[in-house]
Amino acid sequence: MKTDKVTQQKIIRDVLISLVLYALPVILMLLSFKITGQRPWKKITATTVNKNV
Amino acid sequence: MLQYIEQIFTHLNGWGLPVIMLLIGITEFAFGLYENHWTKNERILDIVCFVVPKIVVKPFIAYVGLLLLPTLLPNAKNIFAWVPFWWGFAIIAVGDDLTQYWYHRLHHQLPWLWRFHRTHHSAPYMGMAMASRQNIIYTIFFSQIYLTTTLVYLGLGYPVLFVTGIKALITTGAHSSIKWDKPFYTNKWLKPAGWVLERFISTPATHHAHHADSDDDGVGHYKGNFGNMFFLWDVIFGTGIITRQYPSGYGIKHYKQEEWYAQFLWPIFKSRKEGSELAPNGPMVGDAVPLEKEIVNRGLLTESIV
């Protein structure tokens, strides 16, 4: 028994849309950093360097 | 205040949720919401599905998180710990629930996967027990658990605590036979909130429709409404229907009350029920069997019994 062709096509279309949805929060986060000038990853690095010192 | 909320979610993910589920289950049972469908076979299956994954699956996930990931990704531990809380929350919520949407949808749309998910749909009633009623293979390969465990290892553990807690409450509420969403469809002050709510998260109305035994009445929609925490995926992909009504019957039309062990452990154990999807020579999808053939089979069966 096989999945019908229409369902197969819908699955492929929706998987492609899903890839965009998965990336959306990450893209929006990076965009917000660009707009606000925040660099939170640098804070962590700086803390680590200070600890080592 | 924040510490208080954090404590609530910490306990919720530990002992809190099983206790809430048990309390809801007792309430449902006390109010007779399982009607007379909760037979001995169904009771054993529901209880085994509730208990065994907590003993078997959780330690396995802990193994993946604590031993396997540090070996596979030795330098990646906490590399994303810098991600601000609310962005981490959004990344986890989308990553976890969209993956579960796909895991669930494919078990309905790819016939060879259906029998691994069938146990979740076989019960002729709705209740909190449905949330954990799954075949063991479906539970073990629950794809988003591994994605989420990986994200915890990468440093997003704190937002995971809140997402998984909220998600567990929503999915348990959507499966429950307590129709908590009803006031949102009847009270004129709550109706606008209800409109948003039913499109955003799974409610008893939309999720019960997914568990209906028929879609002929325009309420049931077992070939759609796949969303777990978010119903939004069904809205985006056009796989959902919203009727604000509850189906008259639940389960699957071709249910043969298969043995609890066959439902829990198929294909390791198979059913002895003639014509069952879980029997050694049973059909892959029961409702795909043409009606005429089914009638002929039943006729032959009747003759052989007589």
Side-chain angles (χ1 to χ4, degrees), chain B residues 101-164:
Chain B
Y101 168 88
W102 273 109
Y103 189 65
H104 185 199
R105 177 173 163 179
L106 291 178
H107 277 78
H108 280 274
Q109 294 191 330
L110 301 181
W112 66 275
L113 283 176
W114 161 244
R115 286 179 286 187
F116 294 106
H117 182 51
R118 179 189 189 275
T119 304
H120 186 64
H121 283 269
S122 62
Y125 50 87
M126 283 301 284
M128 77 83 207
M130 290 307 98
S132 51
R133 178 170 161 146
Q134 296 283 6
N135 174 284
I136 191 71
I137 306 288
Y138 185 96
T139 307
I140 287 172
F141 286 96
F142 221 37
S143 57
Q144 84 278 4
I145 292 176
Y146 302 102
L147 174 75
T148 308
T149 307
T150 308
L151 291 174
V152 170
Y153 177 72
L154 297 177
L156 297 174
Y158 193 62
V160 162
L161 180 73
F162 295 88
V163 173
T164 50

Side-chain angles (χ1 to χ4, degrees), chain B residues 8-20:
Chain B
I8 290 174
F9 278 92
T10 307
H11 292 311
L12 198 63
N13 282 305
W15 55 267
L17 195 77
V19 170
I20 290 172

Side-chain angles (χ1 to χ4, degrees), chain A residues 7-45:
Chain A
T7 308
Q8 281 180 21
Q9 285 168 347
K10 278 184 185 167
I11 289 173
I12 292 167
R13 181 200 67 180
D14 293 348
V15 164
L16 294 175
I17 297 169
S18 295
L19 294 178
V20 178
L21 291 171
Y22 276 117
L24 197 62
V26 179
I27 291 166
L28 289 174
M29 178 180 72
L30 296 176
L31 200 67
S32 79
F33 292 157
K34 200 174 169 68
I35 293 165
T36 60
Q38 282 181 49
R39 298 286 183 272
W41 58 92
K42 285 192 172 173
K43 275 186 196 168
I44 295 286
T45 313

